[in-house]
Amino acid sequence: MTDILKINENIIPKFPKHVKFRFNKARKEWVILAPERLVKLDPIAVEILQLVDGEKTVKIIASELSKKFNAPEETILTDVKEMLQDLSDKGFIQENG
Amino acid sequence: MDDINKTKLKKASEHGIQAPLALLAELSHRCPLQCPYCSNPVQLEKKTGELTTDEWKSVVDQAVEMGMHQIHLSGGEPTVRHDLEDIVEHCTEKGLYTNLITSGVLLNLDRLKKLEKLGLEHVQLSFQDTDTENADRIGGFKGGHEKKLEVAKWVREVDLPLTCNCVVHRQNIDNLENFIQMALDLDAERVEIAQVQYYGWALKNRAAFIPTPEQLDHATEIVEKARIDLKGKLVIDYVIPDYYAKHPKNCMGGWGRRFLNMNPKGDVLPCHAAETIPHLKFDNVREKSLKWIWENSEAFNLYRGTDWMPDPCKSCDRKEIDWGGCRCQAMALTGDAKNTDPACSISPLHSEIFSMAAEEARRAPPEFIYRRYGVRFNSPI
């Protein structure tokens, strides 16, 4: 595994290969799946994670969300970094590159 | 048992219970290893009774329709089945998160490559010790440990994520730091440090395995330190022997609440040890749908929720946290599955059983009682 990741705005986040962000059709909900782990997500987390594609930086993700929800980019950036850091500490997010 | 009126048993939906999250699929009880703490029932299922490929595929379809997220392909040893590839392919096509739980000793690189291509998402590989000789002695399979190390490298070579499943007890607990180092060296994402749980075959060997409270405390310290040091690098799951816990484990997240288990012939069980409770009658996927069984099966509904509980569980404010602990352990140690799990410090039997186990831990360990599935799989040492 890689070293501990500190999320900043220039990082391109991605899901590690064994972590799946999936829509469960029967339950109609997005979840993160990992070995013996299931993470249920609130609507904000789902919005953020839908933009995690291994190409966009944290800053771009925050910027897109800020436009979509007409909210200050700075606030959103803080929230995005916080959430991705939490998921990274748990092994659900890594840096692409 | 007799005082429960079965006709009044509430069903899953009446408890507000949704579909299960994951399915533990025991594809076969056959296994080349003979671990003396095996979690499979004492009476193993024969090959001829195993579900067919199509029957497993139908189970997978039903699991997905119910909304299950994950499938654990386990055993016994799941790789003894030549149709493992077909089953994996079907699981991933249907969108189940697919995890293989294996001893590894029957795998080769080509098969792993193929499984990865077919969509397998994760491999859990068991280790008996970090010391080669002792590992082979515990597993009862000569050359097993070396093979496992090789398999672990192949798993990473084909870019599959790896969890090392390490069962610890007092005959290998001194190697705990080595287990963690081994997981790092093998480039594992995760290591599971699980102390032996004492039911089924493991209970026969409790005196050989149970650690002293001091050994356990030391082990817990090591794990807690490693968790801090390795945060973000290695996920460490840790299960203590619940004899030494204050509260019992909330086994399976509560009976029939989150998971279901299928044995090789298609019986649907609330947990993998449920067959140790002799009065339970299991429904089978050859006769009923998985959805019907989850909702209606008597084996599930008997201990769902809290209505079945006697005191001290009934009046305990943790009853919806622990769910009474483990029914199989209550059965094995008290003779009645309804009783409070003696792992709970409030159980009237706790101190007696705790002292007996702690006394066993202080004596020299007896020889293992090995389990043997069939001679042709054994490589005796």
Side-chain angles (χ1 to χ4, degrees), chain A residues 1-4 16-20 22 24 26-27 29 31 33-38 40 88-91, chain B residues 19-21 65 67-70 72 95-97 116 121-122 124 159 161 187 189 192 231 233 235 237:
Chain A
M1 279 198 75
T2 49
D3 285 334
I4 295 169
K17 190 182 169 195
H18 66 286
V19 175
K20 302 289 151 116
R22 269 187 198 154
N24 186 306
R27 293 175 194 261
E29 65 180 5
V31 287
L33 297 169
E36 292 187 31
R37 295 281 197 286
L38 166 73
K40 300 218 172 196
S88 167
D89 289 345
K90 290 173 180 149
Chain B
L21 303 173
E65 277 162 29
M68 281 196 247
H69 298 284
Q70 303 206 0
H72 306 287
L96 277 183
Y97 188 94
E116 193 273 337
E121 282 161 314
H122 183 259
Q124 284 182 244
D159 202 21
D187 195 26
E189 309 275 342
E192 217 176 271
K231 184 181 170 188
K233 290 181 95 169
V235 177
D237 279 2

Side-chain angles (χ1 to χ4, degrees), chain B residues 78-124:
Chain B
T79 62
V80 300
R81 289 203 46 146
H82 299 298
D83 58 355
L84 178 64
E85 285 82 345
D86 297 328
I87 296 169
V88 165
E89 184 177 29
H90 195 72
C91 291
T92 58
E93 258 176 33
K94 297 286 168 173
L96 277 183
Y97 188 94
T98 307
N99 179 31
L100 179 67
I101 303 177
T102 178
S103 73
V105 298
L106 302 177
L107 278 167
N108 58 46
L109 181 57
D110 283 344
R111 200 161 185 212
L112 273 166
K113 274 184 189 162
K114 197 166 176 198
L115 288 168
E116 193 273 337
K117 277 208 183 74
L118 293 170
L120 180 66
E121 282 161 314
H122 183 259
V123 176
Q124 284 182 244

Side-chain angles (χ1 to χ4, degrees), chain B residues 186-366:
Chain B
L186 294 173
D187 195 26
E189 309 275 342
R190 182 167 159 268
V191 61
E192 217 176 271
I193 309 279
Q195 300 268 352
V196 172
Q197 301 287 316
Y198 299 100
Y199 23 71
W201 202 267
L203 190 58
K204 291 180 191 289
N205 283 298
R206 187 177 68 188
F209 287 131
I210 191 126
T212 63
E214 295 75 25
Q215 280 179 316
L216 181 70
D217 287 346
H218 184 57
T220 305
E221 273 171 35
I222 292 171
V223 169
E224 280 170 4
K225 184 174 181 305
R227 273 186 172 158
I228 296 166
D229 293 347
L230 301 172
K231 184 181 170 188
K233 290 181 95 169
L234 181 70
V235 177
I236 305 178
D237 279 2
Y238 182 55
V239 183
I240 66 165
D242 54 9
Y243 282 45
Y244 293 152
K246 187 172 175 220
H247 303 296
K249 60 180 177 288
N250 71 340
C251 201
M252 307 302 282
W255 187 266
R257 300 191 77 80
R258 302 170 74 175
F259 303 104
L260 54 78
N261 187 87
M262 275 180 55
N263 76 8
K265 67 172 175 183
D267 284 347
V268 185
L269 322 173
C271 83
H272 65 269
E275 286 168 276
T276 61
I277 301 177
H279 58 255
L280 291 184
K281 288 186 197 72
F282 302 108
D283 287 291
N284 190 288
V285 290
R286 282 174 167 149
E287 284 140 27
K288 303 262 172 53
S289 75
L290 206 52
K291 191 176 175 184
W292 186 94
I293 295 171
W294 177 252
E295 172 73 5
N296 300 289
S297 179
E298 182 191 299
F300 282 80
N301 289 335
L302 265 178
Y303 303 119
R304 264 184 172 136
T306 55
D307 293 349
W308 57 272
M309 289 178 179
D311 269 325
C313 288
K314 190 163 67 177
S315 50
C316 180
D317 58 9
R318 289 180 59 86
K319 69 179 172 185
E320 292 193 347
I321 300 170
D322 300 331
W323 300 103
C326 171
R327 305 280 49 80
C328 304
Q329 187 148 272
M331 183 72 222
L333 298 179
T334 77
D336 185 345
K338 274 207 315 294
N339 280 337
T340 299
D341 180 350
C344 181
S345 55
I346 300 167
S347 158
L349 290 163
H350 179 78
S351 64
E352 185 192 325
I353 288 169
F354 174 90
S355 337
M356 190 168 50
E359 177 58 32
E360 286 172 0
R362 275 189 286 273
R363 289 197 295 263

